[in-house]
Amino acid sequence: VVDGAPLTLVQPPNRLDLSGRFVFRESPRLARAVALALGLDEVKGYLIEQHRLQTPTEWLLGHVVPALGELQGADQVEVLERLLPLLDPQQANSHSGLVPAEVSGGGVCLKPPHLLLDAQDFTIQLIFGMSGAGENPVPLPRTSQLLFPSKALSVGVRSQLRRLGMRTSLGDPTCLRFLMQELQHRKATLSADRFGEMQRALMQRIVESWPDL
């Protein structure tokens, strides 16, 4: 029994059973009398003793997230919009693969929020030569320490990622160190004036962040 609503996906993989093995207490298909009975403390207590009751968080993390890499983009967003508001930063970042990221060469790559870069951060945009809106995150090598989240993610998902620890340049030594390394790697491809502009902007961000470093 899952103490929540069922999840509807457009094209789930065949191995992902979203309903057959589970009863969802908030399912519109469940008889009202049964739903009310499953909500009683006595019934919940019995189900817990029998290890037959799961919270929506437990069900999503244990049953759906392991198949996240096999889902199409819209279904990944649906899962994350349901799951991320239920998590705290520690829970979200204890999973090695949770959020789809942009990687050079394409393919699936899932990362926890604290290993993602916020494409809306101005300093990050500047270092990577992105547009002001940050709408086209740069695909980085799969081996990169930090990556950009998939451009297919919704505004709501990105907002949750910021709450859960997605990296920004202000006051974040890990992010600032990564940006310094990236700027050094890009030096040979930049004009002296452009490199100097980016270097000064990054130094300014370091100064602004100094009390937190």
Side-chain angles (χ1 to χ4, degrees):
V1 176
V2 180
D3 193 19
L7 177 69
T8 301
L9 300 180
V10 176
Q11 192 175 351
N14 292 332
R15 73 178 186 90
L16 182 58
D17 179 7
L18 296 177
S19 59
R21 293 167 46 204
F22 304 96
V23 174
F24 294 87
R25 193 173 68 83
E26 297 180 11
S27 171
R29 298 183 179 182
L30 191 65
R32 178 172 173 77
V34 176
L36 291 174
L38 291 175
L40 296 174
D41 290 340
E42 296 85 347
V43 176
K44 284 187 174 182
Y46 173 79
L47 291 172
I48 290 172
E49 288 178 0
Q50 300 298 314
H51 305 288
R52 297 293 184 182
L53 182 66
Q54 293 184 348
T55 65
T57 305
E58 291 169 337
W59 182 74
L60 288 166
L61 288 175
H63 187 69
V64 181
V65 167
L68 194 64
E70 302 173 46
L71 303 182
Q72 63 177 0
D75 284 341
Q76 289 178 334
V77 171
E78 180 68 24
V79 172
L80 293 174
E81 287 183 339
R82 178 81 67 88
L83 174 62
L84 295 185
L86 303 175
L87 302 180
D88 60 35
Q90 182 176 0
Q91 289 174 306
N93 291 298
S94 64
H95 290 266
S96 58
L98 189 62
V99 183
E102 293 287 335
V103 289
S104 54
V108 177
C109 183
L110 302 174
K111 292 289 185 180
H114 80 285
L115 293 182
L116 296 173
L117 291 163
D118 188 349
Q120 296 294 321
D121 183 289
F122 175 75
T123 303
I124 294 174
Q125 292 175 5
L126 181 65
I127 297 301
F128 285 95
M130 297 162 58
S131 67
E135 294 175 350
N136 294 302
V138 178
L140 298 176
R142 191 176 294 269
T143 56
S144 178
Q145 178 189 7
L146 302 176
L147 296 169
F148 287 101
S150 169
K151 59 186 177 183
L153 298 182
S154 65
V155 173
V157 169
R158 293 175 187 277
S159 178
Q160 289 295 328
L161 291 177
R162 294 185 184 98
R163 179 182 67 83
L164 295 171
M166 183 165 63
R167 300 286 180 177
T168 61
S169 62
L170 183 61
D172 187 333
T174 298
C175 182
L176 289 169
R177 188 183 306 114
F178 179 79
L179 294 178
M180 287 189 286
Q181 294 170 347
E182 180 63 25
L183 180 58
Q184 192 62 34
H185 292 157
R186 290 168 55 86
K187 183 177 182 179
T189 65
L190 300 169
S191 67
D193 289 344
R194 181 59 174 165
F195 178 79
E197 176 189 351
M198 297 167 71
Q199 189 177 49
R200 287 191 294 273
L202 185 53
M203 287 301 299
Q204 178 62 35
R205 201 56 156 171
I206 292 173
V207 171
E208 294 169 351
S209 302
W210 193 254
D212 299 314
L213 300 182

Short mmCIF file of all heavy atoms in Angstrom, two decimals, residues 127 180-196 198-199:
data_model
loop_
_atom_site.label_atom_id
_atom_site.label_comp_id
_atom_site.label_asym_id
_atom_site.label_seq_id
_atom_site.Cartn_x
_atom_site.Cartn_y
_atom_site.Cartn_z
N ILE A 127 31.54 32.53 -17.66
CA ILE A 127 32.68 31.64 -17.84
C ILE A 127 32.44 30.67 -18.99
O ILE A 127 33.35 30.34 -19.75
CB ILE A 127 32.98 30.86 -16.54
CG1 ILE A 127 33.37 31.84 -15.40
CG2 ILE A 127 34.07 29.82 -16.75
CD1 ILE A 127 34.58 32.69 -15.69
N MET A 180 37.35 28.52 -11.79
CA MET A 180 38.74 28.94 -12.02
C MET A 180 39.46 27.94 -12.92
O MET A 180 40.19 28.32 -13.83
CB MET A 180 39.46 29.07 -10.67
CG MET A 180 39.05 30.29 -9.87
SD MET A 180 40.08 30.58 -8.40
CE MET A 180 39.48 29.27 -7.32
N GLN A 181 39.24 26.66 -12.67
CA GLN A 181 39.87 25.63 -13.50
C GLN A 181 39.35 25.69 -14.94
O GLN A 181 40.12 25.57 -15.89
CB GLN A 181 39.61 24.25 -12.90
CG GLN A 181 40.27 24.03 -11.55
CD GLN A 181 39.81 22.76 -10.86
OE1 GLN A 181 38.82 22.15 -11.27
NE2 GLN A 181 40.52 22.36 -9.82
N GLU A 182 38.05 25.90 -15.07
CA GLU A 182 37.44 25.97 -16.41
C GLU A 182 37.97 27.18 -17.18
O GLU A 182 38.27 27.07 -18.37
CB GLU A 182 35.92 26.05 -16.29
CG GLU A 182 35.18 26.13 -17.60
CD GLU A 182 35.36 24.91 -18.48
OE1 GLU A 182 35.65 23.82 -17.94
OE2 GLU A 182 35.23 25.05 -19.72
N LEU A 183 38.10 28.31 -16.51
CA LEU A 183 38.62 29.50 -17.17
C LEU A 183 40.05 29.27 -17.64
O LEU A 183 40.43 29.70 -18.74
CB LEU A 183 38.54 30.70 -16.22
CG LEU A 183 39.05 32.03 -16.77
CD1 LEU A 183 38.28 32.42 -18.04
CD2 LEU A 183 38.93 33.14 -15.73
N GLN A 184 40.84 28.60 -16.82
CA GLN A 184 42.22 28.32 -17.20
C GLN A 184 42.26 27.40 -18.43
O GLN A 184 43.08 27.59 -19.33
CB GLN A 184 42.97 27.66 -16.03
CG GLN A 184 44.47 27.59 -16.21
CD GLN A 184 45.11 28.97 -16.33
OE1 GLN A 184 44.66 29.93 -15.71
NE2 GLN A 184 46.15 29.07 -17.13
N HIS A 185 41.35 26.42 -18.47
CA HIS A 185 41.30 25.52 -19.63
C HIS A 185 40.90 26.26 -20.90
O HIS A 185 41.35 25.91 -22.00
CB HIS A 185 40.29 24.40 -19.37
CG HIS A 185 40.72 23.45 -18.28
ND1 HIS A 185 39.83 22.68 -17.57
CD2 HIS A 185 41.94 23.18 -17.79
CE1 HIS A 185 40.50 21.97 -16.68
NE2 HIS A 185 41.77 22.25 -16.78
N ARG A 186 40.07 27.29 -20.76
CA ARG A 186 39.56 28.02 -21.92
C ARG A 186 40.49 29.16 -22.36
O ARG A 186 40.24 29.78 -23.39
CB ARG A 186 38.19 28.61 -21.58
CG ARG A 186 37.10 27.56 -21.46
CD ARG A 186 35.83 28.14 -20.83
NE ARG A 186 35.32 29.30 -21.53
CZ ARG A 186 34.50 29.26 -22.58
NH1 ARG A 186 34.10 28.08 -23.03
NH2 ARG A 186 34.09 30.35 -23.17
N LYS A 187 41.53 29.40 -21.62
CA LYS A 187 42.39 30.56 -21.88
C LYS A 187 42.93 30.59 -23.30
O LYS A 187 42.96 31.64 -23.96
CB LYS A 187 43.56 30.56 -20.88
CG LYS A 187 44.47 31.76 -21.01
CD LYS A 187 45.56 31.75 -19.94
CE LYS A 187 46.45 32.97 -20.06
NZ LYS A 187 47.51 32.98 -19.00
N ALA A 188 43.34 29.43 -23.81
CA ALA A 188 43.96 29.38 -25.14
C ALA A 188 42.97 29.72 -26.25
O ALA A 188 43.37 30.10 -27.36
CB ALA A 188 44.57 28.00 -25.39
N THR A 189 41.67 29.60 -25.98
CA THR A 189 40.66 29.85 -27.01
C THR A 189 40.08 31.26 -26.93
O THR A 189 39.22 31.61 -27.74
CB THR A 189 39.51 28.83 -26.88
OG1 THR A 189 38.83 29.04 -25.63
CG2 THR A 189 40.05 27.40 -26.92
N LEU A 190 40.54 32.06 -25.98
CA LEU A 190 39.98 33.39 -25.76
C LEU A 190 40.99 34.46 -26.12
O LEU A 190 42.21 34.27 -26.01
CB LEU A 190 39.58 33.56 -24.29
CG LEU A 190 38.54 32.58 -23.73
CD1 LEU A 190 38.46 32.71 -22.22
CD2 LEU A 190 37.18 32.85 -24.36
N SER A 191 40.48 35.61 -26.55
CA SER A 191 41.36 36.75 -26.75
C SER A 191 41.84 37.26 -25.39
O SER A 191 41.22 36.97 -24.36
CB SER A 191 40.63 37.87 -27.49
OG SER A 191 39.60 38.41 -26.66
N ALA A 192 42.93 38.02 -25.39
CA ALA A 192 43.47 38.53 -24.14
C ALA A 192 42.45 39.42 -23.43
O ALA A 192 42.30 39.36 -22.19
CB ALA A 192 44.77 39.30 -24.40
N ASP A 193 41.75 40.26 -24.20
CA ASP A 193 40.75 41.16 -23.61
C ASP A 193 39.60 40.37 -22.98
O ASP A 193 39.14 40.68 -21.88
CB ASP A 193 40.21 42.12 -24.66
CG ASP A 193 41.23 43.17 -25.07
OD1 ASP A 193 42.23 43.34 -24.33
OD2 ASP A 193 41.03 43.82 -26.11
N ARG A 194 39.12 39.36 -23.72
CA ARG A 194 38.00 38.56 -23.22
C ARG A 194 38.40 37.78 -21.97
O ARG A 194 37.65 37.70 -21.00
CB ARG A 194 37.53 37.61 -24.31
CG ARG A 194 36.34 36.74 -23.92
CD ARG A 194 35.14 37.58 -23.54
NE ARG A 194 33.97 36.75 -23.30
CZ ARG A 194 32.87 37.16 -22.69
NH1 ARG A 194 32.80 38.42 -22.24
NH2 ARG A 194 31.85 36.36 -22.51
N PHE A 195 39.60 37.21 -22.01
CA PHE A 195 40.08 36.46 -20.85
C PHE A 195 40.21 37.38 -19.64
O PHE A 195 39.82 37.02 -18.52
CB PHE A 195 41.43 35.81 -21.15
CG PHE A 195 42.02 35.07 -19.99
CD1 PHE A 195 41.57 33.80 -19.65
CD2 PHE A 195 43.01 35.65 -19.21
CE1 PHE A 195 42.09 33.11 -18.57
CE2 PHE A 195 43.55 34.97 -18.12
CZ PHE A 195 43.09 33.70 -17.80
N GLY A 196 40.73 38.59 -19.86
CA GLY A 196 40.87 39.54 -18.76
C GLY A 196 39.52 39.93 -18.18
O GLY A 196 39.37 40.05 -16.95
N MET A 198 36.73 38.13 -18.16
CA MET A 198 36.20 37.00 -17.41
C MET A 198 36.97 36.79 -16.11
O MET A 198 36.37 36.47 -15.06
CB MET A 198 36.25 35.74 -18.28
CG MET A 198 35.38 35.84 -19.53
SD MET A 198 35.69 34.56 -20.76
CE MET A 198 35.00 33.14 -19.95
N GLN A 199 38.26 36.99 -16.15
CA GLN A 199 39.08 36.84 -14.95
C GLN A 199 38.69 37.87 -13.89
O GLN A 199 38.57 37.55 -12.70
CB GLN A 199 40.56 36.96 -15.32
CG GLN A 199 41.52 36.61 -14.19
CD GLN A 199 42.96 36.68 -14.65
OE1 GLN A 199 43.36 37.68 -15.28
NE2 GLN A 199 43.73 35.65 -14.38
#
